[in-house]
Amino acid sequence: MMAALRSLALLIASALAPLAWAQTTKVSGLVTDAKTGEPIPFASIAFVDSRIGASTDMDGRYAIETYYATDSIRVSTVGYVARSFVVKKDKVQVIDIALQPNSFELAEVVIKPTEENPAFGILRRVIKNKPVNNREKLSAYQYHAYNKIEFDLNNITEDFTQKKIFKPFAFIFDNIDSTDAKPYLPIFMTETLSDVYYRQQPKKQREFIRGTKVSGVENESIARFMGDMYQNVNIYENFLVIFGKNFISPIADGGRGYYDYYLTDSAFVGKNWCYKLTFTPKRVQELAFTGEMWISDTTYAVHRIEAGIASGANLNFVQGFWVKQQYDQVQNEVWMLTRDELVVDLNVIRDTGEKNKNAVQGFYGRRTATYRDFLINEPREDAFYEGVDDVVVELDPLSLGADYWDQNRHVPLTAKENAIYHMVDTMKTIPRFRTYVDIISTLATGYYEKGKIEIGPYFTTMSYNPVEGLRFRLGGRTSNSFSNWVEFEGYSAYGLLDERFKFGLATRGFISKEPRLLYRASYKHDVEQLGQSTNAFRNDNILGSFFRRNPNTKLTDVEQWKASLEREWFSGFTSEVMVRYRTLQALGDLRYTRLSFEPLPRLDNVGSIRTAEVSLNTRFAYGEKYVSGEFDRIAVGILKYPTIELHLAYGVPGLLNSDHEYTKVVARSYKRWQLGTAGWTRTTIEGGRIFGTLPYPLLVIHSGNETFYLDDASFNTMNFFEFISDRYVQLFAEHHFEGLFFNRIPLLRRLKWREVATFKAVAGDLDQKHSDELLFLPGMYALYNGPFMEASAGIENVLKVLRFDIIWRLRYNDHPRTAPWALRAKLYINF
């Protein structure tokens, strides 16, 4: 209970913190003798509980302007009674002060020991001054930034370098750096120079990339795991999101509930007198740091901090994470981050310390960022901040040359770093190295690259279903070696039972990359499972063929032509216009039958359903950032605002013998909520409506799951085609506790299991008029008796890669081929 209360208090403080942006407080006035009215020179005026102050001049006048104001000032001088006055923070005000003369005797001074930890007093002032020391208090700022990111292969042992497979390129091991605890080999490095501009009202930040330089083997899968390397760690936030986890900042508003603090030193750091505080987590496996920070006297700003993830934290694959930040006072009372260093040690198996035992090659990710040439509170004209893109690439033509980087990079490269460019360029020319890269890429992507062709995906080569029998498939696509502007794809499949060939052809390509304008066109004639979520196993995935709870007999023969044009208007906002023509035919246990009354009541079989559809899809994810490949992109980071999607479609009757006219509207909102030490929640709310009269395959078939694999985007206890609607609203909510309870149980703590809970519900309705088109089959229902609901409780991070859920079906338990509860599992690789 206490942990929950601390989490709630910290969350409230975190939510209110952005509202506390500070402005300057200016106090001025005249200090006089209350009896004579004469000015008092050299009187001391200071903010209470602060070191900010001033003295009166020869005429008794004073003026103080500061970001670090408290709620009152105190005036004192020898021979007068000291007085305090209330101050209005963030205002300009005049306070004239009259002091009463005083005669006094020296009183007895009694010195008593204090029971409070001396670090707490400093910490209170740090927390109190967070709003004014956070750079977002400023009306505007700009600076020049240099970023260098390096990936290294670590745990390079002598036995590893002597392996036979590395003989063709053994020269690379000449670049091993053995000065670290783990010898490492640099394999990738990128450098960026940019100018950053920020304005507070209205809030806007823009970055202009002036130069970029990349060398090495960049893999999108590695980049996804290392995505946090591209994120800034802002120590002034209550929670720091690292690898998707909520770490508690050492200067969080409720930090004393999670850290032990010690005042260990005080000294000058540069020109500033500073206090040194060390901090360690109170509890094992809590997501907290261990380290030290130097706090500047007077302003109580963080001058320097070095922190690392505490040993035993509930994280996978991360052997270490260290951050070192330097803040400097670039202008009076303005502290800015001037240097930021980040190191991540990512390994699959922990090193036991015994020579070569369990030594697995992992990765170092290193980020070094420096900032200089600051300009404070001098905003540009409004037109400068206009534009849809927050990051603009305006490369200096000279940035392609080595001389440009020698002159402009903030920190010279070391000899080892200089060698990376030559080493990697040479390594890429060795065929054997390319082969090893291809094998790794095949395992990650499912495709094997052979020159200008990629063959795959391999997991669809063989599958099974009762309609096609044993199915064999061969597919491929062009590689980036063929073109990074256009891609062609095709496949062919054959079922031994139905003795039919299926095939598909597709292409996509860029009309423009800036802005992003992408076309797609495809044709296919194949077997599909309608009502399956996009997150489920593919119908021809070999795992989905055998790990099933019901036979896969409700299939549809689909012939489809499709063409679309996608435009990104600015980062995070895309729209797509699509034209699609489909012909559907029932397979397996599905039947298309219609009730006719002329000349007598009878059931007529409907051979096929034809539709021609024009649609508009829009997606808005404000502030979304990507790691980009040639065609596909991977989103990194956690968005502050929900992602909104809108789908509008119109069925065109008569076009190419299309049978139906309809209008479809679907809206969806997705959000991940970071809840501090309580974990995180993701919610998806979706609603839709179909206008028109349609057969059931064209209505909303709610996503079911008939495999034993846990599908996040479907109802895991619902059968395919079990519920159908023409209007609906649904909610998916999933909360990850991140070991909140298990971490407090000694026997479970070592396992690093994590708790997860889910709730899903859908409410809908269906007009009876749709039965005039096609009759529902047995086992198909509308949601007439209220919403369908299911809930689950699960354990994730079992053996670091597995998740198991027990799911309870809360409604409609009287339906055939259903069960009140189910056990589902999935592979889930997560930090």
Side-chain angles (χ1 to χ4, degrees), residues 307-322:
I309 293 177
S311 176
N314 194 340
L315 275 177
N316 294 326
F317 314 122
V318 180
Q319 291 280 74
F321 178 95
W322 302 272

Side-chain angles (χ1 to χ4, degrees), residues 48-119:
V48 175
D49 197 24
S50 168
R51 293 180 180 273
I52 305 298
S55 299
T56 57
D57 60 16
M58 292 297 294
D59 298 321
R61 298 194 175 276
Y62 72 94
I64 310 174
E65 182 175 5
T66 182
Y67 288 109
Y68 301 94
T70 61
D71 57 4
S72 58
I73 57 172
R74 182 176 176 82
V75 185
S76 62
T77 188
V78 176
Y80 291 87
V81 178
R83 296 186 63 187
S84 296
F85 297 85
V86 174
V87 170
K88 297 178 180 179
K89 296 176 69 173
D90 303 333
K91 302 290 184 181
V92 177
Q93 56 215 281
V94 176
I95 301 178
D96 292 329
I97 302 163
L99 297 181
Q100 293 287 346
N102 186 22
S103 59
F104 60 90
E105 297 178 354
L106 290 175
E108 179 182 5
V109 177
V110 179
I111 300 175
K112 297 181 178 180
T114 178
E115 296 182 359
E116 185 184 47
N117 183 336

Side-chain angles (χ1 to χ4, degrees), residues 248-264:
I248 303 135
S249 169
I251 58 172
D253 294 351
R256 286 174 58 179
Y258 302 91
Y259 287 98
D260 291 320
Y261 297 91
Y262 307 94
L263 174 61
T264 58

Side-chain angles (χ1 to χ4, degrees), residues 359-380:
V360 174
Q361 279 61 56
F363 291 94
Y364 279 140
R366 304 172 187 270
R367 176 178 179 265
T368 301
T370 56
Y371 312 98
R372 69 185 188 191
D373 302 334
F374 293 92
L375 191 60
I376 306 299
N377 291 337
E378 295 185 23
R380 299 288 191 99

Side-chain angles (χ1 to χ4, degrees), residues 6 32 89 192 194 329 347 395 445 463 476 578 696 746:
R6 286 197 301 268
T32 58
K89 296 176 69 173
T192 303
S194 62
Q329 197 165 201
N347 274 6
L395 296 183
T445 66
S463 59
M578 180 186 298
Y696 69 80

Side-chain angles (χ1 to χ4, degrees), residues 11 54 369 377 494:
L11 279 171
N377 291 337
Y494 183 78

Side-chain angles (χ1 to χ4, degrees), residues 289-300:
F289 298 95
T290 181
E292 64 184 40
M293 54 186 168
W294 288 86
I295 306 300
S296 175
D297 189 18
T298 305
T299 62
Y300 292 96

Side-chain angles (χ1 to χ4, degrees), residues 478-488 507-519 630-631:
T478 57
S479 67
N480 295 336
S481 300
F482 173 81
S483 173
N484 55 14
W485 279 83
V486 63
E487 178 186 83
F488 297 97
T507 181
R508 62 176 174 170
F510 287 101
I511 299 173
S512 167
K513 292 191 176 183
E514 291 293 338
R516 184 180 173 92
L517 186 60
L518 186 69
Y519 74 85
E630 295 298 341
F631 294 96

